[in-house]
Amino acid sequence: MRKRKAALALSAGVMGVSTAAIGSIATEPAVASMQADTPLARMPASELRTSQQFKEALIQEEGVRDVVYRDVAGYPTVGVGHLVRASDGLSVGDRVSYDRILDFLEQDVAEAEAAVVRVVGDLPLFQHEFDALVDLVYNVGEGNLSARESPGLARAIALRDYEGIASELDYRYAGGDLARGLAYRSERRTQMFLNAAYDDPREASGPAATGRA
């Protein structure tokens, strides 16, 4: 079921269809999906999985590319922001199939979910807080969230200071340079964490706000 929902979102990303329309494609009742994605109380991170709203936002942020390219930091990337590994057997310019893109997405999201559990430990989270932290891992990597690299985040987690955690979700530099796409993504991530708002801040900023992470 989870993979089928991701496939619907990915199809929308590939075809350029608005992700807002994806919910109408799914066969499950909308109410059931909302209940699954929005628990009424904080839960241990180990019991949570990313929501459909998050996957739609992730695909919107990362885009969907079927040819291996170099991202803003210069790393070979393909699919939905999948960083190419030696084991993938891919080089810049190689084309990958739809099914492989979907496999990469599911693999990367699962790894990011597990990383969030390692980072926050037993800290209870709302669904939208978990989603925002998964986005952070997906975007910057687990290594950048260590106590050494992100002491403010580690301190806020230890103190169970949720507003403090939100203030540490801003990562907007790539290769030492300010990346406008990362700045918008950081804003979106923070609003996701604080307000369960998954909307793209670029849409509120008008046509001048362009570019992706």
Side-chain angles (χ1 to χ4, degrees):
M1 182 66 67
R2 184 179 180 195
K3 189 168 184 177
R4 189 183 67 78
K5 286 186 176 182
L8 290 172
L10 184 58
S11 296
V14 170
M15 298 170 62
V17 177
S18 169
T19 54
I22 294 173
S24 64
I25 302 174
T27 57
E28 292 80 7
V31 172
S33 176
M34 181 62 70
Q35 290 174 344
D37 289 346
T38 313
L40 299 179
R42 286 190 169 102
M43 300 171 58
S46 60
E47 297 181 15
L48 291 168
R49 296 294 181 271
T50 49
S51 68
Q52 181 65 10
Q53 294 99 313
F54 167 74
K55 286 185 178 179
E56 293 167 14
L58 176 65
I59 291 169
Q60 192 177 41
E61 284 296 330
E62 295 283 354
V64 182
R65 304 278 288 273
D66 64 352
V67 175
V68 181
Y69 66 100
R70 292 192 182 277
D71 67 7
V72 292
Y75 296 110
T77 306
V78 75
V80 185
H82 172 73
L83 292 179
V84 174
R85 304 167 180 173
S87 60
D88 295 332
L90 295 170
S91 300
V92 172
D94 288 348
R95 187 177 298 275
V96 299
S97 68
Y98 172 91
D99 286 341
R100 195 168 188 194
I101 290 174
L102 188 57
D103 287 340
F104 283 149
L105 175 62
E106 287 298 295
Q107 167 190 312
D108 292 343
V109 167
E111 290 178 358
E113 290 171 343
V116 168
V117 174
R118 289 191 292 271
V119 169
V120 305
D122 62 355
L123 180 73
L125 296 169
F126 284 124
Q127 178 68 60
H128 58 90
E129 294 169 340
F130 179 78
D131 286 345
L133 289 169
V134 170
D135 182 71
L136 182 61
V137 171
Y138 203 102
N139 192 199
V140 307
E142 182 180 0
N144 285 315
L145 306 186
S146 66
R148 178 178 179 179
E149 296 295 329
S150 298
L153 178 63
R155 187 180 310 111
I157 290 171
L159 294 173
R160 302 198 170 202
D161 176 2
Y162 292 93
E163 290 188 2
I165 293 172
S167 70
E168 297 292 333
L169 301 180
D170 193 340
Y171 286 75
R172 56 183 63 204
Y173 290 90
D177 297 323
L178 177 66
R180 186 169 59 177
L182 292 179
Y184 278 114
R185 184 164 180 174
S186 292
E187 179 183 344
R188 186 176 197 170
R189 181 187 303 130
T190 301
Q191 290 305 311
M192 188 185 301
F193 187 92
L194 288 174
N195 302 316
Y198 291 75
D199 296 335
D200 187 349
R202 300 169 187 83
E203 296 175 358
S205 300
T210 58
R212 296 287 180 197

